[in-house]
Amino acid sequence: MALRKKIEQNMEVVGRDGAHVGIVEQIEGTDEIKLAKDDPDAGGQERYIPLTWLVHTEIKVHLKLTGDEAKGWWSSLRSPSKPDSPLHRPR
C-alpha cells in the first residue's frame, strides 16, 4: 500500500468526520497502525487500527470511519479480528 509509506510517527489520525482518533506511534507488521497510549483518547492503552481503514494521508492520517466508529472498533490487541468489524465488511 503506497499510503503506508506516507505514515509517520506522531501524525494525527482523524475520522472521516474530522474527529481526533489518536496519534501514530508506529506501523505494526504489514497491516496495522499502533496508536500512542499516552494520547488522552487511548485511555492509557495501546490501540491498533487496520490499514484497511485508511483513506488518504497528507498532514494527517484520514480514515473512512467516523471518529466514534473507529474508537468503537479499534483494538487493544494486535490483529483485531471481530467477525462483524469494518475489517470484514466491505464499505
Side-chain angles (χ1 to χ4, degrees), residues 41-52:
D41 287 6
Q45 294 186 36
E46 294 174 344
R47 303 292 183 169
Y48 298 89
I49 58 172
L51 289 173
T52 57

Side-chain angles (χ1 to χ4, degrees), residues 3-91:
L3 295 175
R4 180 181 192 263
K5 294 180 181 181
K6 295 182 179 182
I7 300 171
E8 298 178 16
Q9 187 175 19
N10 298 320
M11 288 181 87
E12 182 180 15
V13 178
V14 296
R16 73 169 181 251
D17 56 354
H20 176 83
V21 173
I23 301 294
V24 173
E25 182 171 316
Q26 66 187 32
I27 300 292
E28 286 282 320
T30 60
D31 61 348
E32 292 180 314
I33 298 172
K34 179 180 179 181
L35 301 176
K37 66 181 179 182
D38 59 353
D39 184 85
D41 287 6
Q45 294 186 36
E46 294 174 344
R47 303 292 183 169
Y48 298 89
I49 58 172
L51 289 173
T52 57
W53 293 359
L54 188 68
V55 173
H56 64 93
T57 303
E58 293 171 18
I59 296 171
K60 299 177 182 181
V61 176
H62 296 265
L63 305 178
K64 58 183 159 185
L65 282 70
T66 66
D68 285 342
E69 289 172 332
K71 290 175 186 176
W73 287 105
W74 66 10
S75 176
S76 56
L77 304 172
R78 283 213 62 235
S79 299
S81 59
K82 299 174 184 176
D84 295 325
S85 79
L87 252 170
H88 300 285
R89 282 190 280 142
R91 281 203 164 261

